[in-house]
Amino acid sequence: MVAPAALRVVRCGGSKLHGARAVFSADARYLLCTSGDFVKMYSVGTEETVCMLQGHADLVTGIQLNPQNHLQLYSSSLDGTIKLWDFTDGILIKTFIVGYKLLALYALANCEDSVFAVIPKSGERDSFQLVSVKLTKTAGQEMEAKELSVILDGVDESPKHTAFGREGEYVASVKEVNLQVYFFKRKQMNRFSLSATNTKGGNNRFTCVACHPKEDCIATGHGDGKIRLWRNFCHNKEYTFSTLHWHHDIVMDLAFSVEGTSLLSGGIESVLVQWHNGSDCKKDFLPRLGSAIEYISVSSDGTSYCTSHTDNRITIINSNLRFSKSIQGLIKGRDVKTGLVVDPRTKALVLNGEPGHLQFYCLQSDKQLYSLDIVQQEYIHQAGLNQLDLVKVAFSAQGKWLATVEEREETDLELQLKLWVFDEETQSFKLNTRINMPHEDHITAMCFRDRDEFEDDSPMLVTAGKDCLFKAWVIVEDTDPEAQQSVSWSCDFVGSYHNYQATNCCFSEDGSLLAVSFEETITVWDSVTWDLKCTFCHPPGKIRNICFGRLTCSKYLIGATDHGFLCCWNLLSCALEWSAQLNVLVLQPDPLSEHIAAVSWLSKDSSLFVFKPNKPRPICIQRNLCKEKIQFAAFVPRDIPETIVSEKYLWLRRSQLYFLTNTQELMTFSTKSPEERLTPSSKQLAVEESLPMTPFSLLLGKHRQQSQEDVDLGKVVIHNHHNQDSPAVKELLHTPAHVLPSASFLCPIFINSLLTSKESKSAEEIADEVEMESEEAEDDSDEERDIIEMEQDDLRPMDFLGETTCRLSKSQEKELRKIRKMDYSWISSF
Amino acid sequence: MASYKPVVVPVQPRLGEKVTQDTLYWRGYKIHVYGRYSQEPIKTFSRFKDAAYCATYRDDGKLLVAGSEEGSIRLFDISGRAPLRQFDGHTKAVHVVGFLSDKYRIFSGGDDYSSNLWDIPSATEIVSYSEHMDYVRCGCASKLNADVFITGSYDHTVKVFDARTKKSVMTIEHGQPVESVLLFPSGGLLVSAGGRYVKVWDVLKGGQLLVSLKNHHKTVTCLCLNSSGQRLLSGSLDRHVKIYSTTSYKVVHSFNYATSILSLALSPEDETIVVGMTNGVLNVKHRKPEESKEKSQKKRQPAYRTYVKGRNYMPKQEDFYVSKPGKCVLRKYDKLLKSFQSSKALDAVLEPHIRLYTPEVTVAVMQELNRRGTLRSALAGRDEKQISLLLTFVTRRVIEPRFTPVLVTVADMITDIYQPVVGQSVLVDKQFLRLQEAIGKEIDYQEELLEVLGMMDALFATLTKKRAAYLEENKSNGLTKTLEQDMNN
């Protein structure tokens, strides 16, 4: 199919959605926001990604609608270009090459041919200036825009620190404790400064600035949570300001409503505050927005607000401060402590989400499936507050049980082990058992005995703790008649080894053996009788990771030490089989094959080694994965085994390896070239021209549109007419509602009437079938060619999925039928 | 979007008490009084420390008497709650009590083999007969003679006592442990049940056996007569209630029940048959009302039907069920916590009814305040009375393992905050000393426990053959297990 492509490291899970202020389209039906190197367009009504604008080579730092044409969008990027897009069609119109890193972008209605940008000052570090960039109107795709004129010097790099005033008459910029206002017409500059700390010890540093759209008024946010409203600032001496104070910590962003009657502010409390008429006494709140508010933007028609949060989420809020929608990517605001875990049921990646929540993230659709509240406590958004945090997660083999550990460390440790059972009815996890202080000290590892036949009768959980113990937990029948559930978990066995801290635990594939590592030693226990079977060690290194081999390699136990050794012991002979010098950080076995992935850290960069335990020679080595340390890795089973030609990458066929770096970047491997990877997704994102307002109109509108198209194409759709003529439908439509039987009775009749009956098959189609049969005969005779053809074709079904609604051309139809007849039994052999 | 999450109050499983089938049946140690038509108790007497037996009404229905496992007999007023009288004298459980027909005396039979007679007004014992050789488990009083009562015992005999004599007046050999006795309204015939037999005796002829019925294939446990005396009912462990005609002593009907029957009663007008079974279920059967009753011309009251309108609708197959989210009502402390009023929230959970009956709520709120970092400010700035109250609570609860971690922090903070004012109030000083004493005691106790544990470890170490590993096997080490459970809580 393809020439064996090199293995590439690909970022996934979406990029930060809060890189810059999001922008509403003029009709407030679409929301545009930056996402790494792209600009994403979301539909406000359905929260779906409508279109993705790609073309920048680096982080997009600012987006602004073209004031002259509201269907066009300017975007600036660190790659030094400003691009003009037609965002409804997703077309790049022009590229202006500025040549400097652009850190923020502003566009004004009265400056037709120029935009404003923040660029670094040449020759000086950490010094930035606001410039106006002249955009020439010559034809052509790419053009230089080198005509820069400096407006303000010494501005801050953040886009929040500069704002343009009423009708572009002045610009206000804040840095540290200084506010400077520049009037364009008078070419006058006024500076105001505050002392660094006020008398009460508050932090007077400016954090953001916004200008009133109708009046001469500037609102500034401060580090201590105050908002100051500056007026009369055209006079250097007689300026006044009033103070609004509600936020207890830094004010992250400010925005005026369209008419300027109210001011919106947000901070790390994750509360959106609406101040009416600039007075302190009248304000509205929208609390519990999930996480700190990074940016606030207001739609031009004033119907909705939008807040971007630090945890990669965008919330759309009605103008009456009612929560409306939220657009959620992979939450990666904070430190991931749980590691990457795969939910066996949904194949979703499970990791820390919102504080105290577990997020189930679907890798295929780049969407959060759901967020499970584990801690079940009110989260207080306050800096320096130590709250319960989720640290460990484990799923049983079939995903019936979920175990979570949360901890809070202050003067003494607060630990909780929770066991959740999957409720088929509600399709979510339900808390079954809560164990306070399962260990005296931190829990270092946790695993389920994942043997399928044990799943129903006796699942077992093992936790290893720093208190030098490991504990086995089992299900017991509840004897308490007042308890609501029949089973609960309780401790079955406590084991220790020479008072060493237990660091890792791992069950063998069949669940009969448990390996627990105690600092330098690995102990192997019989999981039924709890006898200590044998011990392994490789002094002087402490054991960092352990895992059992799988399938044909189940007699091996792999361990990695922090002295840079990877060892493989044979469980039958109890001897060291082989060892290799490798500083392994992550050791991850593939649940569907014998392969084990080891990620090592060699002075500057990470490398990946994939091996089978029975051979010390790695199958695949991938050096220079990334510059960051890799924290966690996980094999995610694929839905469909991928066809991989290259022998070297066969280990990627049934599962895909994802890993997380210490900068919270989620990455994976791909053997496909970049173009191939992108095609299906961009096809999927067709622009929705007319956005239906209700689900009903969505149904009806599509139907109408489709039939209209069909007529346009000159193809008379038989079944469309047919179903209107059908007596069943006629009866349904003309019978008075009160004498109709129940809907469930009518439904099959109605649906049957929609189906095309076999008799109405056109003569053409019959001819087709005959033709196909003869083809089939040919295929049988020529098997070799068949396979080649099939390999060529096997990407096609993906393409077809996208166009099931439109009619297929004749040749396509023929091809499709051919594929359907193809023998795919070879797949099952994998 | 998330709404306010109330404070989670941890519920801990109760330790120790083993729950068996028996405790299931006798759970709660209460006497329930059921209404004529309701399926739920309309009244409950719950002043029993252990199982209550044989609750019996007086004829006029104003008083109720019951024996109990602990050996005391309690007399209740139907409208009251606390017992009017308590009769102590039996050394073992009292399984049978009843009123004599003069309404002022009570007879009882106990597991201490004795049958007693009590005077209600003075709550004293009149006479005690110790003639039975085994547990006395059944009895009844004559309706004609206020001095005569009968008791049946597991020593296979039924004895007839006359309160005027010091000894029993008649002894009847049943042949099996007697489970139930009954006198006919006429007082001439006596029915006893024991083993598989129901026997009818003629008392007037000096205890001559009239008829012996063997219709059950397991022990007959209870007997009952209908209001007219024409039907005799017997319930048995074989799950059947059989109904005999008292003229022919033939079975005329039988009821089948789910499990073994322990007790049986008919309502005065024979409208209801109530059966108690071994699985703890009370089965109530109503007789179908007689037909052809003239309809009452009373004005129809809309009350009940209007009230249940729409509530008893059973969803049909094609119906979609749209659930209405219930309104979440926050507790007072949650409301205060929601608005960050820490001090007031702490005040709210120190109200007597929360502090005394649900201390876990108080402790949970304290923990929540600690988590929010506002516990210190919530504890500070209190007057003498409030500090004393807080300290009383801490002193009392700090030794409970489930509260210890939180309350130790609280105690720490209180001592820190109020250290400068020590010595200014006698009341607070006294509380501080008490707290010190309680903690000192607990430390001594824990040290002792650790010593015991150490000794046991040494013993187990010598017992186990394995030298390589040090095992703490739960099943062999009971103490470790309980400690661990404490820890788990």
Side-chain angles (χ1 to χ4, degrees):
Chain A
M1 164 181 88
V2 263
L7 206 57
R8 296 182 324 111
V9 178
V10 181
R11 275 170 201 228
C12 64
S15 308
K16 280 184 181 172
L17 291 173
H18 54 91
R21 249 187 213 127
V23 169
F24 279 99
S25 68
D27 53 0
R29 288 205 305 200
Y30 300 105
L31 182 73
L32 293 137
C33 61
T34 64
S35 168
D37 305 354
F38 312 122
V39 177
K40 278 190 175 174
M41 182 161 89
Y42 293 97
S43 152
V44 171
T46 63
E47 315 161 32
E48 271 173 10
T49 316
V50 183
C51 154
M52 209 150 90
L53 309 175
Q54 23 189 304
H56 280 293
D58 207 337
L59 209 64
V60 179
T61 52
I63 46 173
Q64 291 289 335
L65 288 184
N66 186 354
Q68 272 72 47
N69 182 351
H70 62 80
L71 293 176
Q72 291 179 349
L73 178 84
Y74 284 116
S75 69
S76 68
S77 159
L78 289 183
D79 65 359
T81 58
I82 295 173
K83 287 179 193 272
L84 183 64
W85 309 84
D86 179 347
F87 61 84
T88 45
D89 298 331
I91 300 167
L92 176 63
I93 301 170
K94 269 178 191 166
T95 306
F96 303 98
I97 300 164
V98 181
Y100 295 99
K101 275 188 178 177
L102 300 166
L103 295 154
L105 182 75
Y106 308 95
L108 287 184
N110 55 358
C111 302
E112 284 184 21
D113 52 349
S114 56
V115 291
F116 299 88
V118 173
I119 61 166
K121 203 170 179 180
S122 49
E124 282 178 61
R125 284 186 65 197
D126 299 330
S127 173
F128 303 91
Q129 52 193 6
L130 180 73
V131 295
S132 90
V133 183
K134 185 109 175 147
L135 304 174
T136 42
K137 289 235 165 156
T138 49
Q141 272 280 334
E142 278 189 29
M143 56 197 72
E144 304 266 307
K146 294 288 182 195
E147 230 178 285
L148 306 179
S149 54
V150 177
I151 291 169
L152 278 178
D153 229 352
V155 298
D156 203 278
E157 55 177 317
S158 162
K160 288 190 279 196
H161 287 209
T162 305
F164 284 82
R166 170 172 66 93
E167 287 150 20
E169 283 191 358
Y170 57 90
V171 58
S173 175
V174 293
K175 187 175 185 183
E176 297 300 323
V177 289
N178 302 310
L179 164 71
Q180 44 186 351
V181 183
Y182 178 76
F183 296 90
F184 287 102
K185 280 191 185 143
R186 285 184 276 158
K187 304 224 184 302
Q188 183 197 345
M189 164 91 85
N190 284 354
R191 285 175 204 274
F192 311 98
S193 62
L194 299 165
S195 58
T197 51
N198 62 15
T199 47
K200 282 179 186 165
N203 186 351
N204 270 340
R205 199 168 44 83
F206 285 98
T207 53
C208 52
V209 62
C211 295
H212 198 288
K214 304 284 177 196
E215 297 166 24
D216 280 337
C217 174
I218 298 172
T220 56
H222 297 265
D224 58 353
K226 284 201 179 94
I227 298 166
R228 288 194 170 88
L229 292 172
W230 303 73
R231 289 174 198 275
N232 211 13
F233 44 81
C234 45
H235 307 287
N236 221 342
K237 292 277 159 60
E238 290 146 24
Y239 68 90
T240 56
F241 65 75
S242 57
T243 311
L244 308 174
H245 198 174
W246 180 84
H247 294 278
H248 77 264
D249 211 321
I250 180 166
V251 180
M252 298 288 272
D253 202 9
L254 289 169
F256 276 102
S257 65
V258 180
E259 291 299 315
T261 49
S262 59
L263 173 70
L264 299 162
S265 68
I268 67 158
E269 306 93 344
S270 76
V271 180
L272 185 68
V273 187
Q274 189 174 28
W275 308 83
H276 296 285
N277 302 321
S279 68
D280 207 353
C281 48
K282 213 177 160 204
K283 50 188 181 282
D284 290 324
F285 304 102
L286 180 64
R288 284 182 278 281
L289 284 171
S291 64
I293 293 169
E294 188 80 35
Y295 293 99
I296 303 169
S297 44
V298 178
S299 73
S300 54
D301 61 356
T303 52
S304 28
Y305 308 135
C306 151
T307 53
S308 313
H309 299 264
T310 47
D311 69 349
N312 229 5
R313 180 180 34 195
I314 293 173
T315 311
I316 299 164
I317 295 156
N318 290 343
S319 55
N320 54 357
L321 281 200
R322 282 287 179 82
F323 173 83
S324 160
K325 300 264 161 42
S326 99
I327 296 163
Q328 175 83 70
L330 176 66
I331 302 176
K332 41 184 177 184
R334 302 164 329 121
D335 192 20
V336 172
K337 289 180 179 159
T338 57
L340 301 178
V341 185
V342 178
D343 176 21
R345 230 170 251 273
T346 56
K347 306 281 184 291
L349 204 62
V350 178
L351 62 160
N352 281 121
E354 285 174 64
H357 286 62
L358 203 58
Q359 61 170 328
F360 288 67
Y361 172 75
C362 181
L363 290 157
Q364 276 77 33
S365 58
D366 182 21
K367 231 183 187 178
Q368 186 187 314
L369 291 183
Y370 60 95
S371 179
L372 184 68
D373 185 4
I374 300 290
V375 172
Q376 295 179 331
Q377 266 181 358
E378 179 78 357
Y379 185 80
I380 314 289
H381 294 271
Q382 188 181 324
L385 201 60
N386 206 349
Q387 304 190 51
L388 272 176
D389 203 1
L390 194 59
V391 290
K392 290 272 179 287
V393 171
F395 281 96
S396 68
Q398 308 299 317
K400 190 186 172 194
W401 292 96
L402 163 70
T404 58
V405 176
E406 59 216 56
E407 64 178 36
R408 188 178 86 99
E409 196 168 19
E410 216 167 79
T411 47
D412 45 354
L413 185 72
E414 208 179 307
L415 263 186
Q416 267 186 13
L417 172 65
K418 282 180 179 167
L419 286 132
W420 306 74
V421 64
F422 189 80
D423 191 350
E424 294 286 346
E425 235 171 74
T426 57
Q427 289 292 308
S428 70
F429 285 95
K430 214 175 87 186
L431 185 62
N432 177 273
T433 309
R434 200 174 92 146
I435 300 160
N436 281 353
M437 294 306 284
H439 283 265
E440 299 285 294
D441 209 334
H442 295 275
I443 289 181
T444 51
M446 178 163 74
C447 64
F448 271 98
R449 177 163 72 180
D450 48 356
R451 193 168 144 186
D452 294 352
E453 55 258 48
F454 277 122
E455 175 78 13
D456 288 326
D457 47 328
S458 67
M460 183 189 280
L461 176 76
V462 170
T463 53
K466 276 191 183 164
D467 56 348
C468 310
L469 299 174
F470 75 89
K471 293 186 179 178
W473 308 85
V474 292
I475 288 186
V476 287
E477 293 281 325
D478 231 329
T479 47
D480 189 2
E482 278 166 21
Q484 286 158 5
Q485 59 219 12
S486 58
V487 291
S488 65
W489 289 74
S490 102
C491 188
D492 181 50
F493 177 76
V494 181
S496 68
Y497 183 77
H498 290 305
N499 230 2
Y500 289 135
Q501 291 187 350
T503 50
N504 284 294
C505 61
C506 171
F507 270 107
S508 66
E509 196 188 9
D510 61 353
S512 61
L513 289 178
L514 169 72
V516 184
S517 66
F518 290 94
E519 295 184 6
E520 293 181 4
T521 322
I522 300 177
T523 55
V524 179
W525 306 73
D526 186 319
S527 72
V528 180
T529 60
W530 295 115
D531 286 335
L532 181 66
K533 288 294 180 192
C534 57
T535 60
F536 302 108
C537 67
H538 195 278
K542 288 186 179 170
I543 304 294
R544 198 182 268 163
N545 297 299
I546 48 170
C547 72
F548 278 96
R550 290 189 179 262
L551 305 172
T552 57
C553 303
S554 55
K555 63 177 176 181
Y556 298 104
L557 176 68
I558 317 291
T561 69
D562 60 357
H563 267 239
F565 274 97
L566 182 68
C567 310
C568 175
W569 289 280
N570 189 331
L571 289 169
L572 300 178
S573 61
C574 291
L576 185 68
E577 193 86 2
W578 53 265
S579 73
Q581 193 160 12
L582 198 63
N583 183 24
V584 176
L585 286 183
V586 179
L587 195 65
Q588 188 68 33
D590 182 2
L592 299 176
S593 66
E594 294 102 337
H595 300 104
I596 293 174
V599 179
S600 77
W601 172 253
L602 302 163
S603 66
K604 274 281 157 62
D605 56 352
S606 305
S607 312
L608 172 82
F609 298 84
V610 179
F611 60 93
K612 282 190 185 183
N614 54 3
K615 273 180 263 164
R617 182 184 297 277
I619 297 166
C620 171
I621 303 174
Q622 182 84 12
R623 295 199 184 271
N624 305 333
L625 280 185
C626 56
K627 291 271 173 274
E628 298 94 28
K629 270 193 179 181
I630 287 173
Q631 279 189 310
F632 305 105
F635 275 100
V636 180
R638 289 179 199 271
D639 292 336
I640 316 148
E642 197 161 315
T643 45
I644 288 168
V645 183
S646 169
E647 185 82 6
K648 208 173 151 189
Y649 306 132
L650 267 182
W651 58 277
L652 277 174
R653 196 178 61 211
R654 300 196 57 185
S655 16
Q656 202 168 359
L657 183 66
Y658 286 87
F659 50 88
L660 193 76
T661 65
N662 56 3
T663 52
Q664 315 297 322
E665 211 62 74
L666 187 68
M667 303 194 185
T668 188
F669 288 106
S670 166
T671 52
K672 291 177 187 164
S673 57
E675 297 78 47
E676 263 184 290
R677 253 191 88 249
L678 290 175
T679 36
S681 63
S682 53
K683 262 194 183 172
Q684 194 186 305
L685 308 170
V687 182
E688 258 179 280
E689 258 307 323
S690 63
L691 185 77
M693 299 315 286
T694 60
F696 182 67
S697 70
L698 183 103
L699 270 172
L700 209 69
K702 212 166 215 173
H703 184 254
R704 200 169 287 162
Q705 211 178 331
Q706 197 184 335
S707 58
Q708 219 166 31
E709 271 171 30
D710 287 337
V711 172
D712 287 348
L713 289 168
K715 286 179 185 172
V716 180
V717 184
I718 304 159
H719 68 257
N720 248 349
H721 289 269
H722 175 76
N723 67 25
Q724 269 152 30
D725 295 339
S726 144
V729 177
K730 226 179 216 172
E731 201 173 47
L732 182 73
L733 293 174
H734 293 283
T735 321
H738 64 277
V739 294
L740 272 177
S742 73
S744 64
F745 175 75
L746 286 172
C747 189
I749 302 176
F750 181 69
I751 286 180
N752 277 331
S753 75
L754 294 176
L755 297 172
T756 23
S757 57
K758 281 216 166 152
E759 286 81 51
S760 63
K761 203 191 280 178
S762 69
E764 271 183 356
E765 277 173 323
I766 295 164
D768 264 357
E769 259 181 17
V770 175
E771 202 182 323
M772 191 191 62
E773 267 165 27
S774 63
E775 264 180 18
E776 225 174 6
E778 267 180 38
D779 288 350
D780 287 344
S781 65
D782 197 353
E783 269 185 18
E784 265 192 2
R785 201 200 59 163
D786 189 42
I787 289 164
I788 296 160
E789 244 179 30
M790 179 191 62
E791 281 190 346
Q792 282 170 346
D793 284 343
D794 65 3
L795 268 187
R796 291 286 172 79
M798 284 264 280
D799 299 352
F800 282 127
L801 286 177
E803 30 182 85
T804 40
T805 45
C806 39
R807 275 182 90 75
L808 304 167
S809 75
K810 184 112 310 145
S811 58
Q812 278 176 320
E813 233 168 44
K814 216 183 286 173
E815 222 162 23
L816 189 66
R817 254 191 233 118
K818 208 191 289 171
I819 289 160
R820 205 178 297 147
K821 294 274 171 176
M822 219 70 85
D823 182 18
Y824 275 108
S825 60
W826 56 274
I827 287 175
S828 59
S829 65
F830 285 107
Chain B
M1 202 181 45
S3 55
Y4 177 81
K5 290 171 199 156
V7 176
V8 181
V9 177
V11 192
Q12 254 117 25
R14 219 166 280 152
L15 295 177
E17 193 180 314
K18 189 96 179 166
V19 180
T20 60
Q21 203 70 20
D22 210 35
T23 44
L24 264 186
Y25 179 71
W26 298 112
R27 171 159 46 99
Y29 314 132
K30 286 170 188 163
I31 297 171
H32 291 299
V33 178
Y34 291 85
R36 201 166 174 187
Y37 300 110
S38 72
Q39 309 299 324
E40 275 170 23
I42 53 171
K43 189 162 178 63
T44 302
F45 298 99
S46 55
R47 299 295 171 97
F48 294 94
K49 291 186 189 71
D50 214 330
Y53 298 113
C54 193
T56 314
Y57 277 115
R58 198 163 75 173
D59 279 349
D60 56 6
K62 283 179 184 161
L63 292 180
L64 187 136
V65 70
S68 74
E69 185 69 41
E70 67 237 64
S72 60
I73 300 159
R74 288 181 176 83
L75 182 78
F76 295 93
D77 182 9
I78 288 302
S79 52
R81 193 163 281 280
L84 293 176
R85 295 282 186 279
Q86 179 164 339
F87 308 94
D88 294 307
H90 282 288
T91 52
K92 282 185 178 168
V94 179
H95 278 261
V96 57
V97 283
F99 289 93
L100 292 184
S101 49
D102 65 357
K103 299 181 180 178
Y104 303 117
R105 283 179 292 175
I106 287 169
F107 74 90
S108 67
D111 281 0
D112 54 357
Y113 310 164
S114 64
S115 313
N116 291 10
L117 204 63
W118 309 84
D119 181 39
I120 294 177
S122 61
T124 49
E125 184 184 294
I126 298 168
V127 64
S128 174
Y129 305 96
S130 304
E131 294 190 16
H132 282 295
M133 314 294 285
D134 209 333
Y135 296 163
V136 181
R137 285 290 168 92
C138 56
C140 74
S142 163
K143 283 195 177 139
L144 295 177
N145 191 329
D147 291 319
V148 174
F149 70 97
I150 300 162
T151 53
S153 159
Y154 279 5
D155 64 358
H156 302 190
T157 59
V158 176
K159 283 182 192 285
V160 181
F161 296 99
D162 191 328
R164 292 161 292 196
T165 61
K166 294 279 176 208
K167 277 190 162 187
S168 64
V169 290
M170 190 188 293
T171 302
I172 296 165
E173 276 289 335
H174 179 81
Q176 276 86 23
V178 183
E179 297 280 357
S180 184
V181 289
L182 201 67
L183 265 177
F184 270 70
S186 63
L189 292 181
L190 188 150
V191 189
S192 66
R196 294 168 58 196
Y197 297 91
V198 175
K199 291 180 178 173
V200 184
W201 313 85
D202 192 339
V203 186
L204 300 179
K205 279 189 182 171
Q208 193 184 33
L209 182 64
L210 205 66
V211 63
S212 173
L213 307 165
K214 191 183 158 192
N215 294 89
H216 289 281
H217 58 267
K218 276 187 188 167
T219 304
V220 181
T221 53
C222 44
L223 291 171
C224 181
L225 269 178
N226 81 336
S227 54
S228 63
Q230 287 174 335
R231 295 286 182 270
L232 175 70
L233 288 84
S234 69
S236 155
L237 295 180
D238 66 1
R239 305 187 289 112
H240 287 279
V241 169
K242 304 226 180 227
I243 301 168
Y244 311 85
S245 155
T246 48
T247 46
S248 63
Y249 292 107
K250 290 264 164 62
V251 175
V252 291
H253 190 64
S254 84
F255 291 113
N256 198 354
Y257 285 90
T259 51
S260 304
I261 293 155
L262 290 179
S263 57
L264 168 72
L266 272 176
S267 69
E269 269 96 43
D270 305 337
E271 284 168 330
T272 315
I273 176 166
V274 184
V275 161
M277 294 184 284
T278 49
N279 58 356
V281 171
L282 187 73
N283 186 310
V284 182
K285 283 186 181 175
H286 294 286
R287 193 156 73 183
K288 272 184 205 159
E290 298 283 326
E291 295 298 319
S292 75
K293 275 182 188 166
E294 73 270 31
K295 277 175 191 158
S296 59
Q297 295 301 313
K298 249 168 63 182
K299 199 185 154 196
R300 234 181 85 227
Q301 289 184 342
Y304 188 67
R305 268 183 64 185
T306 330
Y307 178 68
V308 299
K309 192 174 179 184
R311 280 167 199 264
N312 53 359
Y313 178 78
M314 294 299 284
K316 294 196 186 85
Q317 201 183 7
E318 61 263 24
D319 288 352
F320 289 103
Y321 186 72
V322 182
S323 59
K324 196 175 96 182
K327 201 182 165 195
C328 177
V329 181
L330 289 181
R331 303 286 298 270
K332 193 181 171 194
Y333 57 85
D334 268 329
K335 270 184 200 157
L336 291 166
L337 281 176
K338 190 181 172 186
S339 50
F340 293 89
Q341 305 184 48
S342 329
S343 243
K344 282 187 182 165
L346 189 60
D347 287 344
V349 289
L350 284 173
E351 303 258 312
H353 62 277
I354 294 180
R355 170 166 50 101
L356 297 175
Y357 298 112
T358 52
E360 60 269 18
V361 173
T362 312
V363 175
V365 169
M366 283 176 174
Q367 190 172 16
E368 170 72 16
L369 288 173
N370 189 26
R371 190 174 70 83
R372 293 176 172 213
T374 51
L375 181 58
R376 186 174 284 272
S377 51
L379 288 172
R382 289 174 182 270
D383 61 17
E384 183 188 3
K385 205 176 155 195
Q386 285 172 315
I387 302 167
S388 146
L389 198 134
L390 254 172
L391 278 172
T392 320
F393 178 79
V394 172
T395 310
R396 196 173 150 196
R397 302 289 179 181
V398 76
I399 49 169
E400 282 185 42
R402 54 183 177 155
F403 301 143
T404 305
V406 183
L407 290 184
V408 163
T409 322
V410 173
D412 247 6
M413 281 185 183
I414 294 175
T415 34
D416 270 7
I417 295 166
Y418 296 103
Q419 206 176 18
V421 294
V422 163
Q424 290 182 10
S425 155
V426 187
L427 189 65
V428 175
D429 289 354
K430 211 157 79 188
Q431 292 296 346
F432 268 118
L433 286 176
R434 252 186 224 161
L435 176 65
Q436 190 190 14
E437 195 184 340
I439 292 173
K441 251 188 210 168
E442 183 63 18
I443 289 170
D444 289 348
Y445 177 62
Q446 291 291 339
E447 268 173 8
E448 250 172 71
L449 278 182
L450 278 176
E451 273 172 28
V452 173
L453 196 65
M455 284 189 258
M456 289 178 79
D457 278 346
L459 282 175
F460 281 113
T462 54
L463 281 176
T464 48
K465 291 278 173 272
K466 292 182 200 98
R467 297 263 180 264
Y470 161 62
L471 294 176
E472 284 178 333
E473 193 71 55
N474 255 336
K475 272 144 200 164
S476 60
N477 193 342
L479 188 63
T480 325
K481 194 178 173 186
T482 46
L483 277 182
E484 219 170 70
Q485 275 169 337
D486 281 347
M487 209 166 61
N488 294 345
N489 293 319

